[in-house]
Amino acid sequence: MRPVTGFLQRWSLFFGAVVLWELAARLAEDPFFPPPTTILQTAGQLWFSGPAGHLLLTGSVFNDILPSLGRVFGGWLIAVLVGVGLGTFLGRSKTGMDYVGPLFAFMRAVPPPTLVPVFLVLFSIGTPMKLATIVFGSVWPILLNTVDGVRSVSTTQRETAESFRTPKAYWVTMVVLPAALPKIFAGLRLSLSLALILMVVSEMVGATDGIGYQLIFAQQRFDFPAMWAWIVLLGVLGYGLNALLLAVERRMLDWQPTRGAARAQTTGA
Amino acid sequence: MATMLEVNGLNHRYGSGESEHVAVRDLTFTVETGQLACIVGPSGCGKSTLLRCISGLIRPSDGEVRLHGDEVDGVPEDLAVVFQDYSRSLFPWLSVRQNVEFPLRWKKLSRAERRERAVEALEWVGLPGVGNKYPWQLSGGMQQRVSIARALARRPALLLMDEPFASVDAQTRFELEDLLRTVQVKHGSTILLVTHDIDESVYLGDRVLVLSKSPASIVADLPVELPAERDQIATRASSAFVSMRSEVAKLLHGSGTAGPVTAEGAPAAEDAPEAEQARADLTEADAAEQANTAGEPASKPH
């Protein structure tokens, strides 16, 4: 019984809002604000009316959605590698952050979308430009959280590792990174949502395919139900990606006492 | 008996010039193989610095430390340290067994051998079957047993212990003291244990080294004339224990008042109640020291 009520509690407001939106849109009959049922219908036509051989998926799924997802994941993964790698190095070095701190503070203060024109000039229209935008915009939360996280290794933990003559590779992978992981994950979640935003922004400006391009294109040809369908899709993607990352996080941070307690509670229900 | 540890003219200073602080002054002593030696000293006297110099965690300003004849420069392969703060010393992201296996990972051991050693070490400390738990799921005393098991799993020639039982309750401390003696006798381990607790040093040790207040230097080196088999109630009540305890307390108290030992404090008054008082003072001051060291890492960039 508990899971059902829990689900209702969590989602009732959401469905209530959708119903209200439906009613309001039907009453207003405004072409700019189609009712959710129309948006869903359009979405079905856009993506799920393809041939049976393609699992009913249309060309748009393969030509727009998948490339966009590829850019998000590609850019985000690069940001993760750069952020965690550089962050670990800088965080454990005594003076590293003293040198690069002001530079980082300046660079991350620049709103990433404003750099799209710069990257457009540098890389012209294409995937590298989009990746550069995503990486540049989403690397900061990972980098700074990693720096913070790898510093959370306590003196006793450091001395313990030292007293066992822990080789560098074990020290980093078995002590420093696990200690930093809770903070790193906080950065990862923030940066993943940034990556999604920047993917759309970069596609709106310079692209011939992708979710952002289709969104702008639908608006320009006054196809508002399609425009809304793309917006809803972005919401669904953002929600799904975050849920996926949360699941990974829960698995990897299983050792934390508070999480273990929370899990014991949920399994006890 | 062979000599396991030789400390010769050890000095350690922090800082330089005006802010120079001498933590350890001209320490010389040896520990024989198979001996359990206790170093007891007032708080802030440089006990922890001394232990870190011996373990090679910090390089002493002067003097040398030799472990079975080899000069210590960096932490030796066959040395293990047990710290006071077990909750920070155990890695919370590793299970108990993984924690015990941790220092064996870069030894030439197969996975099965490594696991076997960890299981065995956990049995030595009376913790079979908790390998898959995380440290936070165990009580404080059990956590400290795990860190002792982790040190023993490395089969160290010398085991250094820095106030290992200072953070557990009295009942648990008694249990752990007896456990340590049992393990030490059974495996013939050589142990050097640092404590501020006079009773503990006398109860545990084959020998007690009494340190002066800062800078630490040795005031006395006393053999403990107690039977090898010790009992928390009978031993502590025995006259040999009581007289040794007050002797150590007297030495510590004497070094606690500034300057050389004088006729200050009539010897007659220096019996058990006063020794209790001295111990209470030490404990109090030690808490202050711990509060200091706890604040230290924040101000020190790593």
Side-chain angles (χ1 to χ4, degrees):
Chain A
M1 224 26 227
R2 280 278 294 277
V4 179
T5 48
F7 177 83
L8 283 178
Q9 210 172 16
R10 210 169 304 161
W11 287 94
S12 55
L13 189 68
F14 177 84
F15 286 119
V18 174
V19 168
L20 268 180
W21 180 13
E22 178 79 30
L23 291 174
R26 274 174 192 275
L27 284 173
E29 285 185 346
D30 187 324
F32 296 118
F33 295 99
T37 42
T38 314
I39 296 170
L40 272 182
Q41 234 171 6
T42 316
Q45 271 161 18
L46 266 173
W47 306 312
F48 304 111
S49 60
H54 284 148
L55 297 165
L56 298 181
L57 297 174
T58 58
S60 183
V61 172
F62 297 102
N63 300 332
D64 297 305
I65 301 178
L66 286 185
S68 285
L69 282 178
R71 284 165 200 147
V72 170
F73 278 122
W76 185 67
L77 280 181
I78 295 172
V80 171
L81 289 178
V82 172
V84 172
L86 201 61
T88 305
F89 172 75
L90 289 171
R92 291 309 303 177
S93 124
K94 280 196 179 69
T95 51
M97 274 312 273
D98 297 343
Y99 288 107
V100 295
L103 184 70
F104 283 179
F106 177 78
M107 292 212 287
R108 69 186 264 259
V110 177
T114 59
L115 285 167
V116 170
V118 178
F119 291 133
L120 216 87
V121 173
L122 275 176
F123 301 111
S124 87
I125 293 183
T127 305
M129 176 281 261
K130 284 150 209 148
L131 287 182
T133 311
I134 294 171
V135 171
F136 188 90
S138 65
V139 76
W140 305 110
I142 308 177
L143 180 62
L144 297 174
N145 273 32
T146 305
V147 168
D148 211 20
V150 297
R151 286 178 172 175
S152 65
V153 179
S154 72
T155 313
T156 311
Q157 285 171 344
R158 181 172 53 78
E159 285 188 328
T160 301
E162 243 174 86
S163 77
F164 290 132
R165 296 167 63 102
T166 310
K168 199 132 203 154
Y170 287 94
W171 160 244
V172 172
T173 55
M174 289 192 71
V175 182
V176 173
L177 285 179
L181 215 53
K183 289 229 163 113
I184 293 179
F185 263 108
L188 290 183
R189 262 187 286 144
L190 201 60
S191 77
L192 187 58
S193 60
L194 278 173
L196 193 74
I197 295 169
L198 291 168
M199 175 270 285
V200 179
V201 169
S202 66
E203 284 178 351
M204 280 176 163
V205 177
T208 50
D209 60 8
I211 298 172
Y213 166 75
Q214 290 296 348
L215 177 55
I216 270 287
F217 186 56
Q219 182 246 332
Q220 280 164 357
R221 60 171 201 266
F222 303 103
D223 186 354
F224 297 113
M227 181 189 83
W228 279 103
W230 288 108
I231 292 172
V232 170
L233 175 71
L234 283 170
V236 171
L237 284 180
Y239 181 87
L241 290 178
N242 192 51
L244 212 66
L245 192 60
L246 270 176
V248 174
E249 178 178 334
R250 221 167 286 146
R251 236 188 113 72
M252 290 188 75
L253 296 183
D254 199 33
W255 51 268
Q256 287 191 321
T258 46
R259 284 170 198 273
R263 187 191 49 203
Q265 249 176 23
T266 42
T267 48
Chain B
M1 223 189 244
T3 301
M4 179 58 76
L5 178 74
E6 280 177 80
V7 176
N8 261 322
L10 191 76
N11 278 288
H12 193 72
R13 295 177 292 272
Y14 289 110
S16 58
E18 294 238 329
S19 63
E20 185 181 275
H21 169 68
V22 180
V24 176
R25 176 178 290 165
D26 202 25
L27 269 183
T28 301
F29 66 94
T30 59
V31 178
E32 308 304 314
T33 305
Q35 200 173 46
L36 201 169
C38 289
I39 293 183
V40 62
S43 292
C45 79
K47 295 190 298 278
S48 290
T49 307
L50 168 64
L51 197 115
R52 278 164 178 72
C53 285
I54 294 173
S55 63
L57 282 170
I58 55 178
R59 187 191 284 268
S61 311
D62 277 311
E64 60 165 17
V65 178
R66 284 179 180 277
L67 186 67
H68 44 61
D70 306 323
E71 184 158 4
V72 169
D73 182 20
V75 185
E77 184 69 45
D78 48 1
L79 183 140
V81 187
V82 173
F83 296 93
Q84 177 190 338
D85 193 351
Y86 47 80
S87 62
R88 281 168 201 262
S89 175
L90 293 176
F91 300 120
W93 46 87
L94 298 180
S95 71
V96 165
R97 189 171 37 74
Q98 286 171 325
N99 261 293
V100 178
E101 280 184 31
F102 177 79
L104 306 175
R105 282 185 172 259
W106 42 95
K107 290 207 166 204
K108 287 193 179 70
L109 290 171
S110 72
R111 185 183 275 252
E113 284 173 307
R114 202 168 68 205
R115 177 166 295 213
E116 205 175 299
R117 269 216 206 176
V119 170
E120 186 186 49
L122 282 169
E123 271 168 19
W124 289 346
V125 299
L127 284 180
V130 300
N132 290 326
K133 297 202 166 177
Y134 283 109
W136 61 268
Q137 293 173 302
L138 306 180
S139 68
M142 285 162 99
Q143 289 182 36
Q144 190 58 301
R145 282 173 196 239
V146 174
S147 59
I148 293 172
R150 179 174 64 180
L152 292 173
R154 246 173 103 83
R155 313 254 162 96
L158 176 67
L159 179 59
L160 294 177
M161 306 182 94
D162 185 8
E163 306 250 9
F165 311 134
S167 305
V168 295
D169 60 85
Q171 188 59 43
T172 311
R173 187 186 325 161
F174 287 174
E175 278 171 32
L176 289 177
E177 284 169 0
D178 288 337
L179 173 94
L180 185 67
R181 275 211 63 97
T182 313
V183 168
Q184 192 257 340
V185 170
K186 203 158 138 200
H187 301 282
S189 328
T190 312
I191 301 176
L192 181 63
L193 183 143
V194 164
T195 180
H196 67 264
D197 187 325
I198 298 166
D199 290 44
E200 183 168 275
S201 68
V202 175
Y203 183 77
L204 273 179
D206 297 320
R207 186 174 149 212
V208 176
L209 292 153
V210 185
L211 293 188
S212 66
K213 73 170 199 179
S214 180
S217 59
I218 292 179
V219 181
D221 181 351
L222 311 165
V224 177
E225 312 284 358
L226 291 171
E229 277 285 306
R230 294 185 193 174
D231 177 87
Q232 289 289 355
I233 296 164
T235 305
R236 283 176 195 271
S238 71
S239 60
F241 180 87
V242 173
S243 68
M244 173 120 195
R245 185 179 73 172
S246 44
E247 190 181 350
V248 174
K250 222 179 293 175
L251 286 161
L252 278 173
H253 195 70
S255 69
T257 56
V261 185
T262 57
E264 188 261 350
E270 291 270 3
D271 53 26
E274 179 124 10
E276 274 305 323
Q277 185 52 47
R279 182 180 164 185
D281 288 344
L282 286 170
T283 319
E284 216 167 275
D286 205 67
E289 181 198 34
Q290 273 160 32
N292 276 340
T293 43
E296 190 183 54
S299 59
K300 202 165 56 180
H302 295 295

